[in-house]
Structures are given as structure tokens and as C-alpha cells.
Amino acid sequence: MTDLAESTKQYWKDGYTVLRRLYSDEEITGFRAECERLWNLDGLDDDLNLRTEFRRGPDGQYAFDRLDPVLDISPTLTGAATHPALMRALATVLGGPAQLLKAKLIRKEPGVNGYAAHQDFLYWKWLDTRPDLLTTVVINLYPSDERSGGIGFYRGGHQELLPGPPDNPEGDFDPSRLDPSDIDVPALDAGDALVFHSLAPHFSGRNNSERPRTVLLPSYCVSDEPGLYQKYYKREIVRRCKEMVGFERYFAQNDAL
């Protein structure tokens, strides 16, 4: 079992911590089965499905890599994201009771690239709350490490919102501003939960393993405001419709339109 005092100390020092073996083998088996069910639902590969986002796969074709939102169609994963042991741990680490903000299921197939370095808070400023009150959890369903495209962090880089490059100061920061020797990619076992600060600079690499990297990523906010989950997704769905996020494949297939 994780020493929560040590985890809290590491979280505020490095910007992240790992809660080891938070879920039992039986629970993880159930989560895995649920993920397989969800990943085989009809309509996930529809170009206009707002739950999915398409990314380039190893063969140059588009493949969806997430369900977001996911909890409203999965009581099982809702149980994972609101597990009593997780909620107690978050309350200790964050210094107050956490409220669910969002949750997505990500499945990175072998050969699929990861995400460039960024800080989550840049995209959450509209919530008008302090960065220290926001956190994300990676609920790990299979063993994960750098080879499988696990999340890497710049240790201790969570003290401020880093500026973007000169041509886009409001965008994601330039990784060259940070020391690469500070990078750490925690190796995770099934049942581990990786918790990271909203200002923690992080990235993920290409999945060079033979197995999809499957994780549930719920985010939380220490707040007395009710309905944050609904507030987030009402705004997010409108944003996706306006910006046509995830529709790149649709336009690529219909260039004449």
C-alpha cells in the first residue's frame, strides 16, 4: 500500500506521484473487460461521433484513440473514477475533498504516436480556479513504461504556467526551455494510479510495445461548486462542434466539399 504522507510530499515537490496497487486484481480484470466492451460499440468509427478523436496510426490511416466523455455510458468505469480508496487518497494529497471534473478512456495502439509536452491548466483557465486545486489521475489497466508510450514529466516544473514560444505566447510551452535531465517516465503496474498537478509539464511518446496502452484519465477539482462535470462537458461539446475537433478524417475523405 502507498504511504500517503510520502505521496503527498512527492506530489508537491515533483508535481506528480504514484499510488501503488490502488485497485485489486479482480477490479482491474473487470475494468479491462469493460474497456473491451466499450471499444467494440457500434458507431465509434463514425466521422461525426463527438465521443471519439481520430489520430494518425502507424500505417498513416486514422484511428480513434479515446472515448471522451465515457462515464455516462459506463457505470463500471464510473466506479473506478469514484473509487473510495482513490477519493480518500486525493483528499489527503490535495488537502480537501475532490470533485470529478472530466474523464476519458484512452487506448494507444502499437505504433501510434503520443502527445507533445504541455500543461493541462492552460486549457482549464476558464474554470477560474487555482492550479493547485486541479489534478488528473491515470488509472493504469496494464503494465506501462516509456516503451509503451507512458506519460513523462519534467520533475518540479509545476510551479508556474510556462509561456509559449515567441510566435504564440498563449500556446503550449517550448520544451527546450526545460532541462531534459529532469524528465522521468514512471513505470506503472496494473492497478497503479498516477496523480499529477494541473501545471505539471508532461508528454507521452510513441507506443513501441506490442500491446495497446489502455488507461482511464479522470480529472478532479477541489471545489464546493456543484455540477463541475456537467459544466465542463456542456462547454466541451459546444467547443467541438464549433471547431470541428476530430473531424479531420471527414474533410480528408471529402476534399471536394
Side-chain angles (χ1 to χ4, degrees), residues 28 61 88 90 133 137 152 157-158 173 202 228 241 243 246-247:
I28 289 298
Q61 300 298 311
R88 287 194 297 269
L90 290 180
L133 302 180
V137 177
H158 62 294
F173 68 91
H202 63 287
L228 281 183
C241 289
E243 298 183 8
F247 295 169

Side-chain angles (χ1 to χ4, degrees), residues 12-185:
W12 293 108
K13 174 178 176 288
D14 295 335
Y16 62 94
T17 191
V18 178
L19 307 176
R20 300 288 181 185
R21 301 295 298 169
L22 192 70
Y23 300 91
S24 69
D25 291 342
E26 182 179 8
E27 288 171 329
I28 289 298
T29 297
F31 299 157
R32 288 175 176 175
E34 175 67 354
C35 290
E36 287 300 316
R37 181 189 75 82
L38 291 169
W39 221 251
N40 287 283
L41 292 175
D42 290 337
L44 294 188
D45 59 348
D46 191 309
D47 298 291
L48 303 182
N49 186 338
L50 286 176
R51 287 188 191 274
T52 62
E53 184 169 329
F54 293 92
R55 291 172 55 76
R56 290 284 188 181
D59 56 1
Q61 300 298 311
Y62 283 104
F64 66 85
D65 74 340
R66 71 182 61 190
L67 287 174
D68 181 19
V70 68
L71 299 189
D72 59 306
I73 57 173
S74 178
T76 299
L77 295 187
T78 300
T82 59
H83 194 287
L86 174 62
M87 302 310 292
R88 287 194 297 269
L90 290 180
T92 298
V93 171
L94 299 176
Q99 183 180 162
L100 189 66
L101 177 62
K102 58 172 290 190
K104 56 188 175 184
L105 177 67
I106 288 185
R107 175 166 161 156
K108 186 191 295 183
E109 299 289 342
V112 173
N113 292 326
Y115 289 85
H118 64 283
Q119 295 170 290
D120 286 351
F121 186 72
L122 178 65
Y123 304 95
W124 293 351
K125 291 194 295 183
W126 62 271
L127 283 167
D128 194 28
T129 191
R130 293 189 294 113
D132 284 351
L133 302 180
L134 293 160
T135 196
T136 291
V137 177
V138 182
I139 300 174
N140 209 56
L141 302 186
Y142 295 91
S144 173
D145 55 17
E146 186 171 6
R147 182 168 179 266
S148 63
I151 297 180
F153 298 92
Y154 291 86
R155 287 186 298 267
H158 62 294
Q159 304 303 325
E160 61 178 339
L161 184 62
L162 301 171
D167 61 339
N168 184 21
E170 298 299 321
D172 289 320
F173 68 91
D174 181 356
S176 66
R177 293 172 54 92
L178 300 180
D179 187 346
S181 67
D182 290 332
I183 291 176
D184 176 38
V185 183

